[in-house]
Amino acid sequence: MLFDCEGFPYPVFAEGIVSGCKAVYGAQPMGSVYLLCVVIPQKSVDGIEKPVQRPAPGQFYMLHAVRSDVLLGRPVSVYHVDKSLFGEIEIQFLILVKGKGTKELCNLNEGDKINLLGPCGNKFNRTSEQKVLIVGGGIGVAPVAGFAETLTDKSYDFYASFKSGSYGLDYIKPEKLIITTDDGSVGIKGMLPVALTEDVIKKEKYGAVYACGPAPMLKYVKKISEACGVKCWLSMEARMACGVGCCLGCTIDTSEGKKRCCKEGPVFDSRILYNDDKDVKPSVQNKPFDDNPDLSVTIAGVKFSNPVIACSGTFGFGSEYATVFNVNKLGGIASKGLTLEPRQGNDGIRIWETPSGLMNSIGLQNPGIAHFIQNELPLMMSLRPVSIANLSGSDLESYVKGAELLDKSPVPMIELNISCPNVSAGGAAFGMFCSAAKDVVKAVRAATSKPLIVKLTPQSHELNEVALACIEAGADGISLCNSFQGIAIDIERGVPVFDKIKAGLGGPAVRPIAVRLVYELVEEINRLPEEKRVPVIAIGGISCWEDAVEFIMAGASAVEIGTATFSNPNVMLEVIDGLEAFMKRKGYSSIEEFRGIVHR
């Protein structure tokens, strides 16, 4: 076994077997906290069985289900350890369901495989022969309860603070157990300060204090402990990728410089922590909204029942999905990309799956605008969502003639596509530079009086300038962004996958970049006089309601969802429902109340 310079064994990578996973009784609401039990078999090295390293109190593991939809493991503190006669150990973890990763861990079944990296970090050490104080807040009870279990019975007092209910106290044997709950459901009603004060620490003459929990609680414990001259140890947490000290993503500020939670921590001497007075921007929280919030948005004078629009090129003309789910609940539907004349599209492979994304080289196959107006548009208009005709072209003349035909049709809105990456002429060629973009928008604007949204490409090196040029030329809004160009190679044949070499990439992989582009464009638009500002419709890797909220907070008025529909046809309905629930919980009565909130 290898040890680092401070004497801690280096973590090892192991595959464990889930021996149990169940919701913890007492945690409120029920199902918010799970007990995950994992057996780690002893290892065989050169035919010799080697016992598994037992974690020390306060250490943690990076947990990652073998079958997983998340990239990174999640750091979870050890709660309890059982060791068998055969050298195997069962490690118990208490997990608070917070996001996709923790939810995945809490849905494991007995017999499932799980990857563990650990034990990681330093540990709690008893530094005093006097009685000590242990404090746990919420899920932070787990590591300190694991530490308490290693101490002599009744050699410590234990304070546990929860919002509601209580849990994680099965193995501790303190002299005094004090529980506080915000709602009074267990123990003393109120937060930790109603029970634990400087006077209590002085009266009990504690030799040391050990705590883990939410940051405000830890700051309070530090304050009262140090005021009494009692040494205090705090277990901290931070987002991390590796767990072994390499990624440097989990650093926290201390009086001794930046320290890694996974290496120098998670247990720190309180005296080096929280020594700054930085103001943390509070989260926005209004009073929860009892009535149904208004999800409607108005874009260029057209009212949408909600901000969720089916993205062009992924949803046909709407009727194709009519038997799959209730498309009438959508805010809008953007048609397949339309050109003046019918197009057969590109030859060869057209679709290629990548991790967290989908590449396509369709090449704007479509029936032509005249056919669309006569055949697809009537059925599209019979649906409740706002119909949007996505107009593309191969040259300026075809764009103008297409716009003239659509202007005479009943379609209420046009999305001018100057961003398609999969055609030889037109498309993104018009959206790359200000002059070309301005010319085509100005010409199409003259050919139609309908609201005109211009769809831009992320490939432009002067994207914001192109957008502003489009607005100056008459665009009523901007949709951003079309797919990103990429290349896929067939390694078995040693040739590019696509006949045109490059293809468009969409899906969750591009979302953070798309959020940046939307954020930066909205910043530029906000610098314009108010009467010249136009709405932005966000596109790029949206696969859940949280993604939609992120784009809206970045300044988007609506969102278009495409690739995610292929993997989950109900995704747009889930986004709408999630938006409504989010707005109720946060107290937002309308989309506009939190649109662009990060710019304020």
Side-chain angles (χ1 to χ4, degrees):
M1 184 176 294
L2 296 176
F3 295 85
D4 65 18
C5 59
E6 295 185 1
F8 290 103
Y10 283 111
V12 296
F13 186 70
E15 185 178 88
I17 306 296
V18 175
S19 56
C21 186
K22 62 181 181 180
V24 173
Y25 178 78
Q28 298 296 329
M30 188 63 179
S32 59
V33 176
Y34 276 72
L35 176 67
L36 175 65
C37 304
V38 180
V39 172
I40 307 179
Q42 58 185 342
K43 288 190 171 184
S44 177
V45 180
D46 296 330
I48 301 174
E49 297 295 333
K50 297 289 185 180
V52 180
Q53 170 68 22
R54 185 186 182 97
Q59 290 188 300
F60 67 92
Y61 282 82
M62 299 296 291
L63 303 182
H64 199 192
V66 171
R67 294 183 178 180
S68 176
D69 289 327
V70 298
L71 175 65
L72 302 175
R74 298 300 191 259
V76 184
S77 296
V78 174
Y79 167 56
H80 174 71
V81 182
D82 279 331
K83 191 167 185 177
S84 75
L85 296 175
F86 305 102
E88 296 179 342
I89 61 173
E90 181 187 76
I91 304 179
Q92 296 183 6
F93 303 93
L94 290 178
I95 301 178
L96 175 67
V97 182
K98 294 176 67 176
K100 190 174 182 179
T102 51
K103 185 177 181 180
E104 185 176 85
L105 293 172
C106 294
N107 276 283
L108 293 173
N109 297 312
E110 184 176 350
D112 285 347
K113 294 181 179 179
I114 182 172
N115 290 324
L116 303 93
L117 181 64
C120 300
N122 61 7
K123 62 179 181 177
F124 286 113
N125 287 302
R126 181 153 191 172
T127 58
S128 172
E129 295 300 319
Q130 296 174 254
K131 183 169 69 170
V132 298
L133 170 64
I134 298 177
V135 185
I139 200 65
V141 159
V144 289
F147 171 54
E149 190 183 350
T150 67
L151 303 179
T152 304
D153 293 355
K154 298 187 178 181
S155 66
Y156 59 91
D157 289 343
F158 199 107
Y159 281 70
S161 184
F162 304 93
K163 287 184 178 181
S164 182
S166 68
Y167 56 88
L169 309 175
D170 303 286
Y171 301 106
I172 65 172
K173 295 180 180 179
E175 182 175 351
K176 294 179 184 177
L177 172 61
I178 309 296
I179 300 174
T180 71
T181 51
D182 289 2
D183 61 1
S185 55
V186 180
I188 302 171
K189 183 176 182 179
M191 301 177 76
L192 182 66
V194 303
L196 181 61
T197 62
E198 288 182 28
D199 289 340
V200 170
I201 293 178
K202 291 175 182 176
K203 178 182 177 182
E204 297 294 339
K205 299 179 180 179
Y206 295 121
V209 178
Y210 305 87
C212 183
M217 187 202 85
L218 294 183
K219 286 187 177 183
Y220 174 74
V221 172
K222 166 189 165 69
K223 177 182 176 182
I224 61 175
S225 299
E226 293 177 4
C228 297
V230 178
K231 201 161 188 179
C232 178
W233 301 92
L234 305 179
S235 180
M236 307 293 288
E237 67 173 3
R239 294 180 182 273
M240 60 184 68
C242 70
V244 298
C246 294
C247 74
L248 304 178
C250 64
T251 60
I252 60 174
D253 291 324
T254 77
S255 59
E256 299 175 355
K258 292 188 181 295
K259 299 281 188 180
R260 299 166 294 181
C261 260
C262 71
K263 201 66 177 175
E264 288 82 29
V267 180
F268 292 94
D269 185 330
S270 70
R271 290 171 295 182
I272 69 171
L273 299 174
Y274 300 122
N275 290 322
D276 59 67
D277 296 319
K278 292 180 182 178
D279 290 328
V280 178
K281 186 177 180 180
S283 62
V284 178
Q285 179 68 62
N286 301 324
K287 183 178 179 182
F289 197 66
D290 294 329
D291 298 327
N292 292 326
D294 181 9
L295 270 67
S296 68
V297 296
T298 299
I299 299 173
V302 178
K303 186 174 182 179
F304 294 71
S305 61
N306 61 71
V308 178
I309 302 169
C311 189
S312 172
T314 65
F315 208 68
F317 301 102
S319 59
E320 293 88 340
Y321 273 96
T323 59
V324 179
F325 69 91
N326 187 1
V327 300
N328 284 320
K329 289 187 176 182
L330 303 180
I333 298 172
S335 75
K336 180 72 185 77
L338 300 165
T339 53
L340 185 61
E341 302 295 337
R343 289 179 62 106
Q344 290 300 306
N346 293 336
D347 295 328
I349 293 174
R350 292 184 170 194
I351 295 292
W352 192 259
E353 186 177 1
T354 72
S356 296
L358 183 68
M359 298 184 74
N360 86 86
S361 181
I362 306 301
L364 285 176
Q365 179 177 336
N366 74 96
I369 293 175
H371 188 283
F372 163 74
I373 293 173
Q374 184 175 351
N375 297 279
E376 287 81 17
L377 182 58
L379 189 54
M380 194 175 179
M381 294 285 293
S382 71
L383 302 173
R384 292 178 188 171
V386 174
S387 296
I388 304 170
N390 183 277
L391 168 63
S392 192
S394 55
D395 53 35
L396 188 61
E397 183 182 9
S398 63
Y399 271 114
V400 171
K401 288 184 176 179
E404 289 173 346
L405 289 177
L406 290 172
D407 188 62
K408 298 173 184 176
S409 78
V411 71
M413 180 175 281
I414 296 174
E415 183 178 51
L416 178 60
N417 184 350
I418 55 172
S419 55
C420 180
N422 299 317
V423 291
S424 300
F430 281 101
M432 292 294 289
F433 304 104
C434 294
S435 57
K438 187 173 183 179
D439 287 344
V440 71
V441 172
K442 186 176 182 180
V444 170
R445 175 75 288 168
T448 178
S449 60
K450 292 184 183 295
L452 185 63
I453 307 299
V454 180
K455 187 173 185 178
L456 297 181
T457 172
Q459 304 302 127
S460 173
H461 295 299
E462 47 188 54
L463 177 57
N464 288 345
E465 291 81 0
V466 168
L468 295 179
C470 292
I471 294 170
E472 184 181 347
D476 297 307
I478 301 293
S479 56
L480 183 72
C481 51
N482 208 324
S483 54
F484 293 70
Q485 274 198 334
I487 294 177
I489 296 174
D490 185 331
I491 61 172
E492 295 298 329
R493 295 189 298 138
V495 298
V497 168
F498 298 104
D499 284 6
K500 288 185 174 294
I501 313 300
K502 298 177 183 178
L505 171 66
V510 307
R511 184 179 54 79
I513 305 172
V515 171
R516 174 182 65 83
L517 296 178
V518 168
Y519 175 91
E520 291 175 347
L521 177 56
V522 170
E523 273 199 321
E524 289 297 319
I525 291 176
N526 285 344
R527 294 189 178 100
L528 296 175
E530 189 169 352
E531 67 274 10
K532 292 186 177 182
R533 297 174 190 172
V534 302
V536 174
I537 300 174
I539 312 168
I542 299 165
S543 59
C544 60
W545 67 264
E546 292 93 337
D547 297 344
V549 170
E550 191 173 7
F551 272 113
I552 294 170
M553 286 187 168
S557 294
V559 296
E560 291 188 22
I561 299 177
T563 304
T565 304
F566 299 144
S567 60
N568 175 16
N570 288 315
V571 65
M572 286 187 280
L573 299 187
E574 293 172 3
V575 169
I576 294 168
D577 291 342
L579 269 173
E580 183 175 24
F582 170 79
M583 291 171 66
K584 275 184 158 182
R585 175 167 59 85
K586 299 293 284 187
Y588 295 123
S589 61
S590 69
I591 295 291
E592 197 60 29
E593 287 188 15
F594 65 98
R595 186 187 70 79
I597 198 170
V598 295
H599 297 278
R600 299 172 193 169

